[in-house]
Amino acid sequence: MVIPEDRQLNIVVAVKLVPDTNADKRIDPQTRRLVRSAAETVLNPFDEYAIEAGLQLKEQLADGSSVTIVTMAPESGKEVVRKALAMGADRAVMLSDPAFAGSDVWATAYVLAAGIRRIGFDLVLTGTQSTDAITGELPGALAEYLGVPGLTYAREIHVAAGRVRVKRETDTGYQTLSAPLPALASITKSAAEPRFASLKGIMAAKKKEIAVLRLADLEIAQAVGGDGAKLEVTELTASPARAAGKTVTAADGNAGARTIVAFLKERNLL
Amino acid sequence: MSTYRAPLRDMQFVLHELAGLADIAKLPGFEDTPDVVDAILEEASTFASEVLDPINRTGDVEGCTYRDGNVTTPAGFKEAYHQFAKAGWIGLPVSPEHGGQGLPQLLLGPTLEMWNGANVGFANGPLLNQGAIEAIELCGSDAQKHTYIPKLVSGEWCGTMCLTEPQAGSDLAAVRTKAVPDGDHYKISGQKIYITFGEHDMAPNIIHLVLARLPDAPEGTKGISLFIVPKILVNADGSLGERNDVFCAGIEHKLGINGNPTCTLNYGEKGGAIGYLVGEPNRGLEYMFIMMNAARFSTGVQGLAIADRAYQSALAYAKERLQSREVAGKSRAAAPIIKHPDVRRMLMSMKSQIEAMRALSYVAAASLDLAAKHPDAAVRKQHKAFIELMIPVVKGWCSETATELCSTAVQVFGGMGYIEETGIAQQYRDVKIVSIYEGTTGIQALDLVGRKLIRDMGTTATAVIKQMKKSAAGLDESNADVAAIKSQLTSAIDLLAEASQFIGMNAMSDLNRAFSCSVPYLKLWGVVAGGWQMARAAQISAAKIAAGDADPFYAAKLITARFYADHVLSQSLWLHHEIVRGSASVMALREDQFDLDRQLLVTA
């Protein structure tokens, strides 16, 4: 499918709601899940880069193209989603159903794909990872389920003549990739800094639509939620407390200097 | 170095529980406010911490530079201003008709507090836009509104207020700048001093609002008119035209707020600056006084904001600075100084008075909205009277208290506080201006005693005192702290009533005596009205705790309110004594007796 050049672009940004990294967190030992009520929920900071990229694309095209936010989250997260609207996105769709609870990456990507197909899309943008699970696997899985090219780790993104072109970050340098639309791209933190929501944006966001789609609204042909998860958390341990530091002072003289050198060598820093 | 973190929880508490956000939301046009208030607070706090705070210290160190009539603001100010304007913050209270968001004045409380807490030098700029917008909105012609307001709201242009002249400081009746009719406009000539952001590089045009005299104007306050004098003249199509004859002759070296330029502006050195009359001739000061409430309220909030920032820094320092063992502890190790009772007392003194200032100023802001928009004329009138009485108190008491608290914050730092690198010295220097500009504390007290107390024969003061008494009587004594607060508040209100009576009586016989303790009287009002709000906060908190609410905020609020009652409300005793027993000695010493301690006796 080739998108004609004069067609407005339907940009869909998939975001995740995550616990605030600054908040105190507690994990329920029974369910092995995070106790959500105890932590403030925020937009996954990585996803803000994807929103910014989507908004910039929309502004560059300036042809009536739109940005839709999609997230799989309980409805209680509505006000968090509204922040994306305050940044300038046109509308949001929440995929909310108790049946989605307990989804792993695999099941989440499946549900998101069903939601995004329902919304209709030319270009899907995501962040590169979430601050809670940090698997970084969702963009690939989502592209797979949508059956579109997945251009991951984009630090620059352009759309022209029905194709998307990205500059992709790798460990050794950059690649330039291009693919026909529809497609998916994940956006890195080295793209543009996310904008602040403006007062005008906040006021406008209040009037924007946040639609809610349930399980029954989507074409779902396989198990989702905990039942559809392929990944099982078998054990959880708290990270070990940090050991007390070693203090070396001038009074330690040569012995102190040797301690510092040994410390650095041990870590291959010298 | 401190990082500004907005006190969002207390702001929300004051907005909702004390200032009655829900009632404000019932006023026409404000229905949507509750839906957006959290988002606004959150975004404003992010903006304050991430954009304004990082250029606070650098702005102070670098300062502004003047060269050949041009002023350069510190690095980052221009970019921050553009971001601020683009985000639409300038238009928060401005009606949507002029491109604003039409939100209540009440929301200026927390937002102004955040801008000024993060960077007072910067925050003065947008405040001046708001002043200029308000002046033109209030009394400008439709054409003037159309030409200037949208660009001041969008922040594309900036505004100033040009009042002060070398011989006309507190006494604006002495203004000498001339305005001579010249066709459809006026030619303005004269010199204005202390003009904040009078010249700068943040915007392509600056709209000066200038007080000047017409040739046939009567002497004194009734002969001053208000003019719009753009730095660059505006063409009929709205584009920028010729450079107007107003130039910056220099900027001041100041104690604080070094991030912004304080300019001397010369008008008409090349034949006359083109100015446009705003409203009617000779009514300039009257217009200024209408706007004064908002400006003085904002200045009070500036004080609160700087004090809160200083408190944040002092608290962080007190938690980490290790010095001396605990006085009642067994350990021989050095303890963080927050463990020491006297440091604790200083922190509590700051915390409790900051919370009282926040509560009183936001409550006053809510009254600004109720006075403007309530459907019932009687309610509007009641709030108008409350505001008239409270504005000099909010301005005068908050600025004086803030100055004292910034000194306390330096004290917590000890020797380190006296060193510029720790940053607390900046707050100490910055805060002093708030008790000076927009009318010194002495001027606020004159306004309070002369215009607000004596002129209406104490009617409003009596009504507010009655309102406070009723509120005190309603405090529930089943909680021991609330009971103690109730007793302190009740006697403090009585002392305030007595002091008011005393000043009122003296006004009839001895005006010097009536005015001699006007500043202590203003402080007494602040101490008591602040205590009134803290008592309301205590009552609400005690009720929440009794109902099983585990939010630790309420427990802390109750303890803080109790501290305020014991340590701050108790000031009412000596303030009352000063006014009632001490006013005679203020004017007792003759002028020539002041120098006697320096004159040697010449013996023959």
Side-chain angles (χ1 to χ4, degrees):
Chain A
M1 180 167 61
V2 175
I3 309 281
E5 199 171 353
D6 59 352
R7 221 197 83 180
Q8 298 159 352
L9 215 57
N10 200 349
I11 304 165
V12 177
V13 184
V15 305
K16 186 177 187 184
L17 308 192
V18 297
D20 190 344
T21 45
N22 297 319
D24 292 332
K25 283 174 280 292
R26 196 171 66 81
I27 288 170
D28 185 330
Q30 293 295 301
T31 63
R32 300 194 189 90
R33 285 189 209 157
L34 192 73
V35 181
R36 288 278 175 170
S37 56
E40 206 185 324
T41 302
V42 297
L43 271 181
N44 172 29
F46 286 93
D47 297 342
E48 292 192 15
Y49 293 86
I51 298 170
E52 179 62 35
L55 295 174
Q56 288 196 6
L57 262 181
K58 173 190 155 158
E59 285 158 5
Q60 281 156 19
L61 295 167
D63 59 356
S65 292
S66 68
V67 174
T68 304
I69 303 295
V70 64
T71 187
M72 187 183 90
E75 265 183 276
S76 57
K78 216 168 195 170
E79 289 316 305
V80 181
V81 172
R82 209 175 285 285
K83 188 190 167 182
L85 297 180
M87 286 174 74
D90 297 277
R91 67 190 75 80
V93 178
M94 295 185 75
L95 312 175
S96 309
D97 197 296
F100 300 153
S103 293
D104 63 353
V105 174
W106 176 266
T108 303
Y110 181 79
V111 173
L112 276 174
I116 291 168
R117 266 196 302 271
R118 169 78 196 270
I119 295 164
F121 70 101
D122 302 308
L123 177 64
V124 175
L125 301 178
T126 68
T128 53
Q129 67 198 74
S130 59
T131 53
D132 54 354
I134 331 180
T135 67
E137 288 165 352
L138 183 112
L142 184 55
E144 189 64 27
Y145 274 128
L146 288 169
V148 299
L151 298 80
T152 50
Y153 297 101
R155 61 174 289 150
E156 270 177 38
I157 182 163
H158 305 279
V159 171
R163 293 184 73 86
V164 56
R165 181 183 295 273
V166 306
K167 194 169 179 186
R168 181 175 193 268
E169 281 179 30
T170 73
D171 287 343
T172 52
Y174 301 114
Q175 295 172 334
T176 301
L177 305 177
S178 164
L181 294 173
L184 175 145
S186 69
I187 308 294
T188 68
K189 286 181 91 165
S190 48
E193 233 357 80
R195 64 194 62 190
F196 293 104
S198 69
L199 179 59
K200 289 177 209 165
I202 293 167
M203 299 299 281
K206 198 167 43 74
K207 300 189 177 74
K208 289 177 184 169
E209 185 200 357
I210 301 181
V212 177
L213 297 179
R214 314 247 172 239
L215 179 72
D217 300 321
L218 304 176
E219 278 183 41
I220 300 267
Q222 65 179 55
V224 293
D227 296 341
K230 298 201 170 194
L231 190 114
E232 190 193 345
V233 179
T234 52
E235 204 189 325
L236 270 175
T237 34
S239 47
R242 214 191 294 179
K246 195 182 278 178
T247 310
V248 177
T249 64
D252 298 329
N254 286 342
R258 273 192 291 276
T259 311
I260 294 172
V261 170
F263 177 88
L264 293 173
K265 274 196 170 153
E266 203 180 304
R267 286 160 181 77
N268 291 325
L269 295 170
L270 266 187
Chain B
M1 194 64 41
S2 72
T3 312
Y4 178 72
R5 269 177 66 220
L8 291 179
R9 178 69 181 92
D10 197 50
M11 287 174 165
Q12 276 170 335
F13 171 78
V14 175
L15 287 176
H16 291 281
E17 314 266 4
L18 299 180
L21 182 69
D23 293 331
I24 302 301
K26 285 183 198 140
L27 301 176
F30 294 158
E31 295 83 356
D32 297 334
T33 307
D35 298 340
V36 289
V37 69
D38 286 348
I40 288 175
L41 293 192
E42 204 175 296
E43 287 304 323
S45 129
T46 308
F47 194 94
S49 296
E50 293 183 14
V51 181
L52 303 184
D53 181 61
I55 54 171
N56 183 46
R57 173 99 173 108
T58 54
D60 178 54
V61 173
E62 186 187 338
C64 298
T65 46
Y66 172 84
R67 204 171 164 185
D68 301 332
N70 297 314
V71 174
T72 310
T73 51
F77 269 51
K78 193 173 167 176
E79 294 73 16
Y81 176 75
H82 288 159
Q83 264 183 289
F84 189 87
K86 195 171 162 225
W89 293 111
I90 297 169
L92 185 141
V94 182
S95 91
E97 187 193 336
H98 293 130
Q101 299 302 328
L103 287 160
Q105 305 266 334
L106 174 56
L107 290 191
L108 286 179
T111 50
L112 283 180
E113 187 185 332
M114 288 189 250
W115 313 143
N116 285 285
N119 191 334
V120 59
F122 174 90
N124 269 323
L127 261 182
L128 286 158
N129 273 42
Q130 259 155 23
I133 291 162
E134 208 181 330
I136 301 172
E137 209 171 20
L138 192 76
C139 36
S141 68
D142 285 345
Q144 287 169 344
K145 288 178 192 169
H146 179 76
T147 308
Y148 301 104
I149 293 183
K151 297 223 157 127
L152 286 166
V153 172
S154 71
E156 194 179 333
W157 298 345
C158 292
T160 73
M161 286 289 161
C162 300
L163 281 60
T164 306
E165 296 177 11
Q167 77 295 343
S170 292
D171 184 9
L172 289 171
V175 159
R176 281 208 294 253
T177 295
K178 277 192 294 198
V180 179
D182 183 30
D184 66 344
H185 56 262
Y186 293 79
K187 284 281 177 72
I188 313 285
S189 56
Q191 187 178 66
K192 293 287 178 181
I193 61 166
Y194 299 166
I195 308 309
T196 307
F197 280 109
E199 174 61 42
H200 57 79
D201 54 358
M202 301 198 307
N205 203 7
I206 302 172
I207 309 306
H208 303 292
L209 282 156
V210 183
L211 289 182
R213 283 184 183 283
L214 295 168
D216 56 351
E219 283 293 303
T221 53
K222 293 206 182 335
I224 295 169
S225 307
L226 182 63
F227 297 87
I228 293 172
V229 184
K231 172 181 163 183
I232 314 278
L233 295 170
V234 182
N235 296 323
D237 64 357
S239 62
L240 293 183
E242 281 180 43
R243 181 73 165 81
N244 203 359
D245 185 8
V246 45
F247 292 92
C248 178
I251 60 174
E252 307 292 345
H253 299 280
K254 297 175 289 188
L255 177 65
I257 55 167
N258 292 315
N260 68 49
T262 298
C263 306
T264 297
L265 292 182
N266 287 343
Y267 291 84
E269 288 196 317
K270 298 178 181 170
I274 291 176
Y276 309 98
L277 180 69
V278 182
E280 291 173 30
N282 298 331
R283 293 187 63 186
L285 266 192
E286 192 186 320
Y287 298 148
M288 277 292 152
F289 269 99
I290 300 175
M291 294 168 42
M292 211 68 100
N293 277 344
R296 290 181 169 174
F297 158 76
S298 306
T299 315
V301 173
Q302 284 191 314
L304 154 67
I306 302 168
D308 180 62
R309 190 197 172 103
Y311 163 66
Q312 277 185 46
S313 306
L315 176 62
Y317 185 76
K319 283 180 174 173
E320 85 193 14
R321 170 71 172 166
L322 303 174
Q323 203 71 184
S324 304
R325 48 192 284 206
E326 278 182 70
V327 67
K330 292 209 166 53
S331 163
R332 300 192 62 82
I337 61 171
I338 193 170
K339 300 274 189 195
H340 303 321
D342 184 58
V343 173
R344 202 63 86 81
R345 181 192 56 80
M346 290 193 278
L347 292 171
M348 284 306 289
S349 169
M350 285 188 266
K351 179 174 166 61
S352 64
Q353 292 185 79
I354 285 163
E355 290 180 18
M357 289 193 277
R358 182 174 296 124
L360 184 62
S361 52
Y362 291 14
V363 164
S367 266
L368 282 171
D369 290 314
L370 292 161
K373 294 217 170 183
H374 199 278
D376 183 343
V379 177
R380 284 203 302 274
K381 198 177 154 205
Q382 182 201 334
H383 283 281
K384 179 98 176 58
F386 179 74
I387 270 298
E388 290 292 331
L389 182 77
M390 277 302 152
I391 287 295
V393 176
V394 167
K395 201 285 185 185
W397 178 63
C398 288
S399 62
E400 289 290 333
T401 306
T403 307
E404 220 174 279
L405 297 188
C406 287
S407 170
T408 307
V410 173
Q411 196 71 20
V412 170
F413 275 81
M416 291 295 284
Y418 204 68
I419 309 296
E420 284 285 352
E421 279 92 322
T422 44
I424 195 72
Q426 185 191 348
Q427 268 76 258
Y428 183 65
R429 290 183 287 101
D430 281 351
V431 78
K432 187 57 207 168
I433 192 62
V434 296
S435 60
I436 298 173
Y437 64 14
E438 284 301 332
T440 61
T441 309
I443 293 292
Q444 304 305 319
L446 266 183
D447 181 45
L448 177 69
V449 170
R451 298 177 68 234
K452 313 290 164 69
L453 178 72
I454 299 176
R455 205 158 76 181
D456 85 342
M457 308 288 280
T459 315
T460 308
T462 310
V464 177
I465 287 170
K466 210 170 137 192
Q467 190 183 353
M468 291 195 288
K469 273 193 161 172
K470 197 176 151 201
S471 186
L475 292 172
D476 177 8
E477 282 167 278
S478 64
N479 178 293
D481 286 319
V482 178
I485 293 167
K486 179 177 184 172
S487 138
Q488 291 282 358
L489 178 64
T490 308
S491 26
I493 297 170
D494 288 341
L495 292 169
L496 173 64
E498 264 182 51
S500 306
Q501 192 79 23
F502 174 84
I503 291 176
M505 294 303 286
N506 275 291
M508 286 184 255
S509 53
D510 184 351
L511 277 178
N512 270 339
R513 201 152 174 212
F515 281 105
S516 61
C517 285
S518 53
V519 168
Y521 180 64
L522 177 145
K523 287 185 181 171
L524 180 56
W525 259 107
V527 162
V528 176
W532 169 36
Q533 297 307 326
M534 288 305 274
R536 292 181 60 209
Q539 169 97 323
I540 292 161
S541 301
K544 294 266 186 193
I545 295 165
D549 195 320
D551 186 345
F553 175 85
Y554 294 112
K557 183 61 100 179
L558 188 57
I559 294 166
T560 308
R562 173 68 192 266
F563 179 93
Y564 185 96
D566 291 334
H567 294 257
V568 186
L569 260 179
S570 50
Q571 290 175 13
S572 58
L573 287 164
W574 58 258
L575 287 166
H576 170 270
H577 184 100
E578 213 182 336
I579 298 161
V580 175
R581 305 279 179 81
S583 64
S585 53
V586 173
M587 297 293 280
L589 198 69
R590 287 193 320 272
E591 272 178 67
D592 62 290
Q593 291 176 301
F594 277 88
D595 299 310
L596 292 180
D597 46 2
R598 246 161 277 281
Q599 284 172 16
L600 290 175
L601 272 183
V602 183
T603 47

